[in-house]
Coordinates of all heavy atoms in Angstrom, one line a residue:
M1 N 89.8 113.9 93.1 CA 90.2 112.5 93.0 C 90.7 112.1 94.5 O 91.3 112.8 95.2 CB 91.6 112.4 92.1 CG 91.3 112.9 90.8 SD 90.1 111.8 89.8 CE 91.3 110.9 88.9
A2 N 90.2 110.9 94.8 CA 90.6 110.4 96.2 C 90.6 108.9 96.2 O 89.9 108.2 95.4 CB 89.5 110.9 97.2
L3 N 91.3 108.4 97.1 CA 91.3 106.9 97.3 C 90.2 106.6 98.3 O 89.7 107.4 99.0 CB 92.7 106.5 97.9 CG 93.7 106.1 96.9 CD1 94.0 107.1 95.9 CD2 95.1 105.7 97.6
K4 N 89.9 105.3 98.3 CA 88.8 104.9 99.2 C 89.2 103.6 99.9 O 89.8 102.7 99.4 CB 87.6 104.5 98.2 CG 86.4 104.2 99.0 CD 85.2 103.9 98.0 CE 83.9 103.6 98.8 NZ 82.9 103.1 98.0
I5 N 88.8 103.5 101.2 CA 89.1 102.3 102.0 C 87.8 101.5 102.1 O 86.7 102.1 102.3 CB 89.5 102.7 103.5 CG1 90.8 103.5 103.5 CG2 89.6 101.5 104.3 CD1 91.3 104.1 104.8
I6 N 87.9 100.2 101.8 CA 86.7 99.4 101.9 C 86.7 98.4 103.0 O 87.7 98.3 103.8 CB 86.5 98.7 100.4 CG1 87.6 97.7 100.2 CG2 86.3 99.7 99.4 CD1 87.3 96.8 99.0
E7 N 85.7 97.6 103.0 CA 85.4 96.8 104.2 C 86.5 95.8 104.6 O 86.5 95.3 105.7 CB 84.0 96.1 104.1 CG 83.9 95.1 103.0 CD 83.6 95.7 101.6 OE1 83.5 96.9 101.6 OE2 83.4 95.0 100.6
S8 N 87.4 95.4 103.7 CA 88.4 94.5 104.1 C 89.5 95.1 105.0 O 90.3 94.4 105.5 CB 89.0 93.9 102.8 OG 89.4 94.9 101.9
C9 N 89.4 96.4 105.1 CA 90.2 97.1 106.1 C 90.1 96.5 107.5 O 89.1 96.2 108.0 CB 89.9 98.6 106.2 SG 90.6 99.5 107.6
V10 N 91.3 96.2 108.1 CA 91.3 95.6 109.4 C 91.6 96.6 110.6 O 92.0 96.1 111.7 CB 92.3 94.4 109.5 CG1 91.9 93.3 108.5 CG2 93.7 94.8 109.2
N11 N 91.5 97.8 110.3 CA 91.6 98.9 111.4 C 93.0 98.7 112.0 O 93.1 98.8 113.3 CB 90.5 98.8 112.3 CG 89.2 99.1 111.7 OD1 89.0 99.9 110.9 ND2 88.2 98.3 112.1
C12 N 94.1 98.6 111.3 CA 95.4 98.4 111.8 C 96.1 99.8 112.2 O 97.1 99.8 112.8 CB 96.3 97.7 110.9 SG 96.9 98.6 109.5
F13 N 95.5 100.9 111.8 CA 96.0 102.2 112.2 C 97.3 102.6 111.4 O 97.7 103.7 111.5 CB 96.3 102.4 113.7 CG 95.1 102.6 114.5 CD1 94.3 101.6 114.9 CD2 94.8 103.9 115.0 CE1 93.2 101.8 115.7 CE2 93.7 104.1 115.7 CZ 92.9 103.1 116.1
A14 N 97.8 101.7 110.5 CA 99.1 102.1 109.9 C 98.9 103.3 109.0 O 99.9 104.1 108.9 CB 99.6 100.9 109.1
C15 N 97.9 103.4 108.2 CA 97.8 104.5 107.2 C 97.5 105.9 107.8 O 98.0 106.8 107.3 CB 96.7 104.1 106.2 SG 95.1 103.9 106.9
E16 N 96.9 105.9 108.9 CA 96.3 107.2 109.4 C 97.6 108.2 109.6 O 97.6 109.3 109.1 CB 95.6 107.0 110.7 CG 94.9 108.2 111.1 CD 95.6 109.0 112.2 OE1 96.6 108.4 112.7 OE2 95.2 110.1 112.4
P17 N 98.6 107.8 110.3 CA 99.6 108.8 110.6 C 100.6 109.1 109.4 O 101.3 110.1 109.4 CB 100.5 108.1 111.7 CG 100.2 106.6 111.5 CD 98.8 106.5 111.0
V18 N 100.5 108.3 108.3 CA 101.4 108.6 107.1 C 100.7 109.5 106.1 O 101.4 110.0 105.2 CB 101.9 107.3 106.5 CG1 102.7 106.5 107.5 CG2 100.8 106.5 105.9
C19 N 99.4 109.7 106.3 CA 98.7 110.6 105.3 C 99.2 112.0 105.4 O 99.0 112.6 106.4 CB 97.2 110.5 105.4 SG 96.3 111.6 104.4
P20 N 99.7 112.6 104.4 CA 100.1 114.1 104.4 C 99.0 115.0 104.5 O 99.2 116.2 104.8 CB 100.9 114.2 103.2 CG 100.4 113.3 102.2 CD 99.9 112.1 103.0
S21 N 97.8 114.6 104.2 CA 96.6 115.5 104.2 C 95.6 115.3 105.4 O 94.6 115.9 105.4 CB 95.9 115.3 102.9 OG 96.7 115.2 101.8
Q22 N 96.0 114.5 106.3 CA 95.1 114.2 107.4 C 93.7 113.8 106.9 O 92.7 114.2 107.4 CB 95.0 115.3 108.4 CG 96.2 115.6 109.3 CD 97.4 116.3 108.5 OE1 97.1 117.4 107.9 NE2 98.6 115.8 108.5
A23 N 93.7 113.0 105.9 CA 92.4 112.7 105.3 C 91.8 111.3 105.8 O 90.6 111.1 105.6 CB 92.7 112.5 103.7
I24 N 92.7 110.6 106.5 CA 92.2 109.3 107.1 C 91.8 109.4 108.5 O 92.5 110.0 109.3 CB 93.4 108.3 106.9 CG1 93.8 108.2 105.4 CG2 92.9 106.9 107.4 CD1 95.1 107.4 105.2
F25 N 90.6 108.8 108.8 CA 90.2 108.8 110.1 C 89.5 107.5 110.5 O 89.0 106.7 109.7 CB 89.2 110.0 110.4 CG 88.0 110.0 109.4 CD1 86.7 109.4 109.8 CD2 88.1 110.5 108.1 CE1 85.6 109.4 109.0 CE2 87.0 110.4 107.2 CZ 85.7 109.9 107.7
A26 N 89.5 107.2 111.8 CA 88.9 106.0 112.4 C 87.4 106.2 112.3 O 86.9 107.2 112.6 CB 89.4 105.7 113.8
A27 N 86.8 105.2 111.9 CA 85.3 105.1 111.9 C 84.8 103.8 112.1 O 85.6 102.8 112.1 CB 84.8 105.7 110.5
E28 N 83.5 103.6 112.2 CA 82.9 102.2 112.4 C 82.2 101.9 111.0 O 81.6 102.8 110.4 CB 81.8 102.3 113.4 CG 82.3 102.4 114.8 CD 83.0 101.1 115.3 OE1 82.6 100.0 114.7 OE2 83.7 101.1 116.3
P29 N 82.4 100.7 110.5 CA 83.2 99.7 111.1 C 84.7 99.6 110.7 O 85.4 98.7 111.1 CB 82.5 98.4 110.5 CG 82.0 98.8 109.2 CD 81.7 100.3 109.3
H30 N 85.2 100.6 109.8 CA 86.5 100.6 109.4 C 87.0 102.0 109.1 O 86.2 102.9 109.0 CB 86.8 99.7 108.3 CG 85.9 100.1 107.0 ND1 86.2 101.1 106.2 CD2 84.8 99.4 106.5 CE1 85.3 101.1 105.2 NE2 84.4 100.1 105.4
F31 N 88.3 102.2 109.0 CA 88.9 103.5 108.7 C 88.3 104.0 107.4 O 87.9 103.3 106.5 CB 90.4 103.4 108.6 CG 91.1 103.5 109.9 CD1 91.0 102.5 110.8 CD2 91.9 104.6 110.2 CE1 91.7 102.6 112.0 CE2 92.5 104.8 111.4 CZ 92.4 103.7 112.3
L32 N 88.2 105.3 107.2 CA 87.7 106.0 106.0 C 88.6 107.0 105.6 O 89.5 107.6 106.4 CB 86.3 106.6 106.3 CG 85.2 105.5 106.6 CD1 84.0 106.3 107.0 CD2 84.9 104.7 105.4
I33 N 88.5 107.5 104.3 CA 89.2 108.6 103.7 C 88.2 109.7 103.4 O 87.2 109.4 102.8 CB 90.0 108.1 102.5 CG1 91.1 107.2 102.9 CG2 90.6 109.3 101.7 CD1 91.8 106.6 101.6
D34 N 88.6 110.8 103.9 CA 87.7 112.0 103.5 C 88.0 112.4 102.1 O 89.1 112.9 101.9 CB 88.0 113.2 104.5 CG 87.1 114.4 104.1 OD1 86.5 114.5 103.1 OD2 87.0 115.2 105.1
P35 N 87.1 112.2 101.2 CA 87.4 112.5 99.7 C 87.7 114.0 99.5 O 88.4 114.3 98.5 CB 86.2 112.0 99.0 CG 85.1 112.0 100.0 CD 85.7 111.7 101.3
K36 N 87.2 114.8 100.3 CA 87.5 116.3 100.2 C 89.0 116.6 100.6 O 89.5 117.6 100.1 CB 86.5 117.1 101.0 CG 85.1 117.0 100.5 CD 84.2 118.1 101.0 CE 83.8 117.8 102.4 NZ 83.0 116.6 102.7
K37 N 89.5 115.8 101.4 CA 90.9 116.0 101.8 C 91.9 115.3 101.1 O 93.1 115.7 101.0 CB 91.0 115.8 103.4 CG 90.4 116.8 104.3 CD 90.7 116.4 105.7 CE 90.2 117.4 106.7 NZ 90.4 116.9 108.1
C38 N 91.6 114.1 100.6 CA 92.6 113.2 100.0 C 93.1 113.9 98.6 O 92.3 114.2 97.8 CB 92.1 111.9 99.6 SG 93.1 110.8 98.7
T39 N 94.4 114.0 98.5 CA 95.0 114.6 97.3 C 95.7 113.5 96.5 O 96.4 113.8 95.5 CB 96.1 115.5 97.7 OG1 97.1 114.9 98.5 CG2 95.5 116.7 98.5
E40 N 95.5 112.2 96.9 CA 96.2 111.1 96.2 C 97.7 111.3 96.4 O 98.4 110.8 95.6 CB 95.8 110.8 94.8 CG 94.3 110.5 94.7 CD 93.9 109.9 93.3 OE1 94.8 109.7 92.5 OE2 92.7 109.6 93.2
C41 N 98.0 112.1 97.4 CA 99.5 112.4 97.7 C 100.2 113.1 96.6 O 101.4 113.3 96.7 CB 100.3 111.1 98.1 SG 99.8 110.4 99.7
E42 N 99.4 113.7 95.7 CA 100.1 114.4 94.7 C 100.8 115.6 95.1 O 100.3 116.4 96.0 CB 99.0 114.9 93.6 CG 98.8 113.8 92.5 CD 97.9 114.3 91.4 OE1 97.9 115.4 91.1 OE2 97.2 113.4 91.0
G43 N 102.1 115.8 94.7 CA 102.9 116.9 95.2 C 103.6 116.7 96.5 O 104.6 117.4 96.9
A44 N 103.2 115.6 97.2 CA 103.9 115.4 98.5 C 104.7 114.1 98.4 O 105.8 114.0 98.9 CB 102.8 115.2 99.6
H45 N 104.2 113.0 97.7 CA 104.9 111.8 97.6 C 104.7 111.2 96.2 O 103.7 111.5 95.5 CB 104.4 110.8 98.6 CG 104.6 111.2 100.0 ND1 105.8 111.1 100.6 CD2 103.8 111.8 100.9 CE1 105.7 111.6 101.9 NE2 104.5 112.0 102.1
A46 N 105.6 110.4 95.7 CA 105.5 109.7 94.4 C 104.4 108.7 94.3 O 103.7 108.5 93.3 CB 106.8 109.1 94.0
V47 N 104.1 108.1 95.4 CA 102.9 107.1 95.5 C 102.1 107.4 96.7 O 102.6 107.9 97.7 CB 103.6 105.7 95.6 CG1 104.3 105.3 94.3 CG2 104.4 105.5 96.8
P48 N 100.9 106.9 96.6 CA 100.0 107.1 97.8 C 100.5 106.4 99.0 O 100.7 105.2 99.0 CB 98.7 106.5 97.4 CG 98.7 106.5 95.9 CD 100.2 106.4 95.5
Q49 N 100.7 107.2 100.1 CA 101.3 106.7 101.3 C 100.5 105.6 102.0 O 100.9 104.6 102.5 CB 101.7 107.8 102.2 CG 102.7 108.7 101.7 CD 104.1 108.1 101.4 OE1 104.8 107.7 102.3 NE2 104.3 107.8 100.1
C50 N 99.2 105.8 102.0 CA 98.3 104.8 102.7 C 98.4 103.5 102.0 O 98.5 102.4 102.6 CB 96.8 105.3 102.7 SG 96.2 105.8 101.0
A51 N 98.4 103.5 100.6 CA 98.5 102.2 99.9 C 99.9 101.6 100.1 O 100.0 100.4 100.0 CB 98.2 102.4 98.4
S52 N 100.9 102.4 100.3 CA 102.3 101.8 100.4 C 102.4 101.1 101.7 O 103.2 100.2 101.8 CB 103.3 103.0 100.4 OG 103.3 103.7 99.2
I53 N 101.7 101.5 102.8 CA 101.9 100.9 104.1 C 100.7 99.9 104.4 O 100.9 99.0 105.2 CB 101.9 102.0 105.2 CG1 102.7 101.4 106.3 CG2 100.6 102.5 105.5 CD1 103.1 102.5 107.3
C54 N 99.6 99.9 103.7 CA 98.5 99.0 104.1 C 98.9 97.5 103.9 O 99.3 97.2 102.8 CB 97.3 99.4 103.2 SG 95.9 98.4 103.5
P55 N 98.7 96.7 104.8 CA 99.1 95.3 104.7 C 98.0 94.4 104.1 O 98.2 93.3 103.9 CB 99.3 94.9 106.2 CG 98.4 95.7 106.9 CD 98.2 97.1 106.2
I56 N 96.9 95.0 103.8 CA 95.7 94.2 103.3 C 95.6 94.4 101.8 O 95.2 95.5 101.4 CB 94.5 94.5 104.0 CG1 94.6 94.4 105.6 CG2 93.3 93.6 103.6 CD1 95.0 93.0 106.0
E57 N 95.7 93.3 101.1 CA 95.4 93.5 99.6 C 94.0 93.8 99.4 O 93.1 93.2 99.9 CB 95.8 92.1 98.9 CG 97.3 91.8 99.0 CD 97.7 90.4 98.6 OE1 96.7 89.5 98.5 OE2 98.8 90.2 98.2
G58 N 93.8 94.8 98.5 CA 92.4 95.1 98.1 C 91.7 96.1 99.0 O 90.6 96.4 98.7
A59 N 92.4 96.5 100.1 CA 91.6 97.4 101.0 C 91.4 98.8 100.6 O 90.5 99.5 101.0 CB 92.2 97.3 102.4
L60 N 92.3 99.2 99.6 CA 92.3 100.6 99.1 C 92.0 100.6 97.6 O 92.6 99.9 96.9 CB 93.6 101.3 99.4 CG 93.8 101.7 100.9 CD1 95.2 101.6 101.3 CD2 93.3 103.1 101.1
L61 N 91.1 101.4 97.2 CA 90.7 101.5 95.8 C 91.1 102.8 95.3 O 91.1 103.8 96.1 CB 89.2 101.4 95.6 CG 88.5 100.1 96.2 CD1 87.0 100.2 95.9 CD2 89.2 98.8 95.8
D62 N 91.5 102.9 94.0 CA 91.8 104.2 93.4 C 90.5 104.9 93.0 O 89.4 104.3 93.3 CB 92.8 104.1 92.3 CG 92.2 103.2 91.1 OD1 91.0 103.0 91.0 OD2 93.0 102.8 90.3
S63 N 90.6 106.0 92.3 CA 89.3 106.8 92.0 C 88.5 106.1 91.0 O 87.4 106.5 90.8 CB 89.7 108.2 91.6 OG 90.7 108.2 90.6
L64 N 89.1 105.1 90.3 CA 88.3 104.3 89.3 C 87.7 103.0 90.0 O 87.0 102.3 89.3 CB 89.2 103.9 88.2 CG 89.9 105.0 87.4 CD1 90.8 104.5 86.4 CD2 88.8 105.8 86.7
G65 N 87.9 102.8 91.3 CA 87.4 101.7 92.0 C 88.3 100.5 91.8 O 87.9 99.3 92.2
E66 N 89.5 100.6 91.3 CA 90.4 99.5 91.1 C 91.3 99.4 92.4 O 91.7 100.4 93.0 CB 91.4 99.7 90.0 CG 90.7 99.9 88.6 CD 90.2 98.6 88.0 OE1 90.8 97.6 88.4 OE2 89.3 98.6 87.2
A67 N 91.5 98.1 92.9 CA 92.4 97.9 94.0 C 93.8 98.4 93.7 O 94.4 98.0 92.7 CB 92.4 96.4 94.4
I68 N 94.4 99.1 94.7 CA 95.8 99.5 94.4 C 96.7 98.4 94.6 O 97.7 98.3 94.1 CB 96.0 100.8 95.3 CG1 95.1 101.9 94.9 CG2 97.5 101.2 95.1 CD1 95.3 103.2 95.5
N69 N 96.5 97.6 95.7 CA 97.3 96.4 96.0 C 96.4 95.2 95.7 O 95.8 94.7 96.6 CB 97.7 96.4 97.4 CG 98.6 97.6 97.8 OD1 99.4 98.0 97.0 ND2 98.4 98.2 98.9
P70 N 96.3 94.8 94.5 CA 95.4 93.7 94.1 C 95.8 92.4 94.7 O 97.0 92.3 95.1 CB 95.4 93.7 92.6 CG 96.7 94.4 92.1 CD 97.0 95.3 93.3
P71 N 94.9 91.4 94.7 CA 95.4 90.0 95.3 C 96.7 89.5 94.7 O 96.9 89.6 93.4 CB 94.1 89.2 94.8 CG 93.0 90.1 94.8 CD 93.6 91.4 94.2
G72 N 97.5 89.1 95.5 CA 98.9 88.6 95.1 C 99.9 89.7 95.1 O 101.1 89.3 95.0
S73 N 99.6 90.9 95.1 CA 100.6 92.0 95.0 C 101.5 92.1 96.2 O 102.7 92.5 96.1 CB 100.0 93.4 94.6 OG 99.1 93.7 95.7
L74 N 101.0 91.9 97.4 CA 101.8 91.9 98.6 C 102.4 90.7 99.0 O 103.5 90.5 99.4 CB 100.9 92.5 99.7 CG 100.3 93.9 99.4 CD1 99.6 94.4 100.7 CD2 101.4 94.9 99.1
T75 N 101.6 89.5 98.8 CA 102.1 88.2 99.3 C 103.0 87.6 98.2 O 103.8 86.7 98.5 CB 100.9 87.3 99.5 OG1 100.2 87.1 98.3 CG2 100.0 87.7 100.6
G76 N 102.8 88.0 96.9 CA 103.5 87.4 95.9 C 103.0 86.0 95.5 O 103.5 85.3 94.6
I77 N 101.8 85.6 96.1 CA 101.1 84.4 95.8 C 100.1 84.6 94.7 O 99.2 85.4 94.9 CB 100.4 83.8 97.1 CG1 101.5 83.6 98.2 CG2 99.8 82.5 96.7 CD1 100.8 83.3 99.5
P78 N 100.2 84.0 93.5 CA 99.2 84.2 92.5 C 97.8 83.8 93.0 O 97.7 82.9 93.7 CB 99.7 83.2 91.4 CG 101.1 82.9 91.7 CD 101.3 83.0 93.2
P79 N 96.9 84.7 92.7 CA 95.5 84.5 93.2 C 95.0 83.1 93.0 O 94.2 82.6 93.8 CB 94.6 85.6 92.5 CG 95.7 86.6 92.1 CD 97.0 85.9 91.9
E80 N 95.3 82.5 91.7 CA 94.7 81.2 91.5 C 95.3 80.1 92.4 O 94.7 79.2 92.8 CB 94.8 80.8 90.0 CG 96.2 80.9 89.4 CD 96.7 82.3 89.1 OE1 96.0 83.3 89.3 OE2 97.8 82.4 88.6
K81 N 96.6 80.3 92.7 CA 97.3 79.4 93.6 C 96.7 79.5 95.0 O 96.5 78.6 95.8 CB 98.8 79.7 93.6 CG 99.6 78.5 94.2 CD 101.0 78.6 93.8 CE 101.8 77.5 94.4 NZ 103.1 77.4 93.9
M82 N 96.5 80.8 95.5 CA 95.8 80.9 96.8 C 94.4 80.4 96.8 O 94.1 79.7 97.8 CB 95.8 82.5 97.0 CG 95.1 82.9 98.3 SD 96.1 82.3 99.8 CE 96.9 83.8 100.2
A83 N 93.7 80.5 95.8 CA 92.3 79.9 95.8 C 92.4 78.4 95.9 O 91.6 77.8 96.6 CB 91.6 80.3 94.5
Q84 N 93.4 77.8 95.2 CA 93.5 76.4 95.2 C 93.9 75.9 96.6 O 93.4 74.9 97.1 CB 94.6 76.0 94.2 CG 94.8 74.5 93.9 CD 96.1 74.3 93.0 OE1 96.7 75.2 92.6 NE2 96.3 73.1 92.7
A85 N 94.8 76.6 97.3 CA 95.2 76.3 98.6 C 94.2 76.4 99.6 O 94.0 75.6 100.5 CB 96.4 77.2 99.1
M86 N 93.3 77.4 99.4 CA 92.2 77.6 100.3 C 91.2 76.5 100.2 O 90.6 76.0 101.1 CB 91.5 79.0 100.1 CG 92.3 80.2 100.5 SD 93.0 80.2 102.1 CE 91.5 80.7 103.0
A87 N 90.9 76.1 98.9 CA 90.0 75.0 98.7 C 90.5 73.8 99.2 O 89.7 72.9 99.8 CB 89.8 74.8 97.1
E88 N 91.8 73.5 99.1 CA 92.3 72.3 99.8 C 92.2 72.3 101.3 O 91.8 71.3 101.9 CB 93.9 72.2 99.5 CG 94.1 71.4 98.1 CD 95.6 71.4 97.7 OE1 96.4 71.5 98.6 OE2 95.8 71.5 96.5
L89 N 92.4 73.4 101.9 CA 92.3 73.6 103.4 C 90.8 73.3 103.8 O 90.6 72.6 104.8 CB 92.6 75.0 103.8 CG 94.1 75.3 104.1 CD1 94.3 76.8 104.3 CD2 94.6 74.4 105.1
R90 N 89.9 73.8 103.1 CA 88.5 73.7 103.3 C 88.0 72.2 103.2 O 87.0 71.8 103.8 CB 87.6 74.6 102.5 CG 87.5 76.0 103.1 CD 86.4 76.8 102.4 NE 86.8 77.1 101.0 CZ 87.4 78.3 100.7 NH1 87.7 79.1 101.5 NH2 87.7 78.5 99.4
S91 N 88.7 71.5 102.3 CA 88.3 70.1 102.1 C 88.7 69.1 103.2 O 88.3 68.0 103.2 CB 88.8 69.6 100.8 OG 90.2 69.5 100.8
H92 N 89.5 69.6 104.1 CA 90.0 68.7 105.2 C 89.1 68.7 106.4 O 88.4 69.7 106.6 CB 91.5 69.1 105.6 CG 92.5 68.8 104.6 ND1 92.7 67.5 104.0 CD2 93.3 69.7 103.9 CE1 93.7 67.7 103.1 NE2 94.0 68.9 103.0
Ligands
SF4_101 S1 96.3 108.8 98.9 FE1 97.6 110.1 100.2 S2 96.3 111.9 100.7 FE2 95.0 110.3 100.0 S3 94.3 109.3 101.9 FE3 96.1 108.1 101.1 S4 97.9 109.0 102.1 FE4 96.2 110.4 102.4
SF4_102 S1 96.6 100.5 106.6 FE1 94.9 99.3 105.5 S2 94.1 97.8 106.9 FE2 95.3 99.4 108.1 S3 93.8 100.9 108.7 FE3 94.6 101.6 106.8 S4 93.3 100.8 105.2 FE4 92.9 99.7 107.1

């Protein structure tokens, strides 16, 4: 079982030093998690440390492919409200 970093990662470096398994590494075009090393932080922390510190919603997926920090979870802005605001911005 391992987490996965996807393309919305902005290479901020925040997750790499907090991983207890040294599973995260810089790569092109974005950071990656070595699935052989990731333990999902089991036995070390109550929650995955990379997901706790990552500032980008949706950049980390669990082993089922679900976003750990889904849209709205960090900003507190409901996704539909964000979509509406973005549509308004684009219309100007
Ligand atoms: S879930 Fe834990 S072990 Fe896996 S990459 Fe994230 S910080 Fe490292
Ligand atoms: S904390 Fe998130 S955005 Fe930053 S490098 Fe890690 S996965 Fe990418």
Side-chain angles (χ1 to χ4, degrees):
M1 304 291 263
L3 269 57
K4 186 178 180 190
I5 297 173
I6 63 169
E7 62 279 0
S8 50
C9 165
V10 294
N11 297 319
C12 74
F13 281 81
C15 57
E16 190 266 347
V18 300
C19 175
S21 313
Q22 286 81 48
I24 303 174
F25 57 98
E28 289 287 339
H30 58 75
F31 275 70
L32 292 173
I33 293 172
D34 182 342
K36 292 195 286 295
K37 286 188 177 175
C38 175
T39 58
E40 298 197 1
C41 287
E42 274 184 34
H45 298 280
V47 293
Q49 296 300 285
C50 52
S52 297
I53 204 164
C54 180
I56 305 299
E57 292 172 342
L60 281 148
L61 307 183
D62 65 16
S63 51
L64 300 174
E66 301 281 338
I68 298 187
N69 298 318
S73 62
L74 302 181
T75 61
I77 302 170
E80 55 282 1
K81 196 161 183 179
M82 177 67 96
Q84 191 184 357
M86 294 304 285
E88 272 172 33
L89 277 175
R90 275 192 290 268
S91 69
H92 291 300

